[in-house]
Amino acid sequence: AINARNMEEMLDALVVLGKAGGREIEAAALVANLKARIVKVKGTLTAAKGKPSVFVEIWNEPLMTAGSGTYVNELIELAGGVNIAGKVSGWPVFSHESVISSDPFIILLTNFNRGEVMARKAWSGLSAVKAGRVVESDPDLLIRCGPRLVDGLEMLARLLHPELFK
C-alpha cells in the first residue's frame, strides 16, 4: 500500500512501516543513518568540478531507461550527474540514436549485459564504451525504492566523481 516515488517518500515510508511493525525506534535510527549518509554524499559533492552525463539501461530490447520523475533520475542528480534521459518522464523506450548523440560519460546497466553492450557496433564510438565506463549494477540499488537506494547513491557518486571518494 506504500508507493514511495522518491527518496524523501521512501524515508517517510520507513517511519510508517516502523510504526506499523512496532519498531518505531529502529525505524527512526535507520532513517537517521540514511539521512546522514545522504548529507555526507551531498557535502562531498560540493567540491565536484562538473556533472558527468549518465545513461542507465534498464532493459536492452527494447532499449529502456529511467527519465525524470523516477528515483533513478533523482539518484543521478543527487550523485552529481546529469541523466541523458532527464527530459522525458517515467520509464521510456529510448532510441540508440539518442544515446549515441548524447555520448554519455558513463553507461550504467541493471541487466548484467556488459558484454552485449560492449559488442554493439553502433555504440563502439561512445566515449564510455571506449574508456570502459560501462558498469553493471545490482538493480536493487537503483530500481527498487527502499533503503538500499542510499547504497546506490553512494555507488553512483563514487562512479561519477572517483576523485572525491577515495
Side-chain angles (χ1 to χ4, degrees):
I2 293 177
N3 183 25
R5 294 168 300 212
N6 56 48
M7 291 284 274
E8 193 61 38
E9 289 181 9
M10 181 271 296
L11 295 169
D12 292 343
L14 293 174
V15 172
V16 170
L17 291 170
K19 282 182 182 180
R23 300 287 202 171
E24 291 177 64
I25 294 170
E26 293 92 335
L30 174 61
V31 169
N33 175 273
L34 294 172
K35 285 182 176 181
R37 289 169 57 196
I38 294 167
V39 166
K40 184 177 179 184
V41 169
K42 286 179 176 181
T44 302
L45 289 171
T46 59
K49 300 251 189 284
K51 293 186 174 215
S53 58
V54 180
F55 176 69
V56 178
E57 183 174 299
I58 301 296
W59 194 251
N60 59 337
E61 193 59 45
L63 187 62
M64 295 180 70
T65 191
S68 65
T70 65
Y71 31 88
V72 175
N73 188 71
E74 181 181 21
L75 288 175
I76 292 168
E77 291 175 354
L78 286 171
V82 175
N83 182 1
I84 69 165
K87 292 185 178 168
V88 293
S89 63
W91 306 91
V93 171
F94 209 66
S95 74
H96 288 272
E97 293 79 13
S98 293
V99 176
I100 293 165
S101 68
S102 296
D103 193 21
F105 174 78
I106 193 166
I107 298 170
L108 194 57
L109 309 171
T110 63
N111 197 26
F112 299 104
N113 61 326
R114 186 176 192 274
E116 182 260 325
V117 170
M118 296 299 285
R120 291 178 188 163
K121 288 186 184 201
W123 288 26
S124 64
L126 293 176
S127 56
V129 172
K130 286 180 188 176
R133 291 186 307 265
V134 177
V135 180
E136 292 175 327
S137 171
D138 178 348
D140 291 344
L141 303 183
L142 300 172
I143 60 175
R144 294 204 193 290
C145 196
R148 291 199 293 169
L149 284 180
V150 178
D151 296 336
L153 169 62
E154 292 167 336
M155 174 203 63
L156 269 171
R158 282 190 307 274
L159 288 171
L160 297 176
H161 301 281
E163 72 284 1
L164 300 177
F165 295 89
K166 302 279 182 202

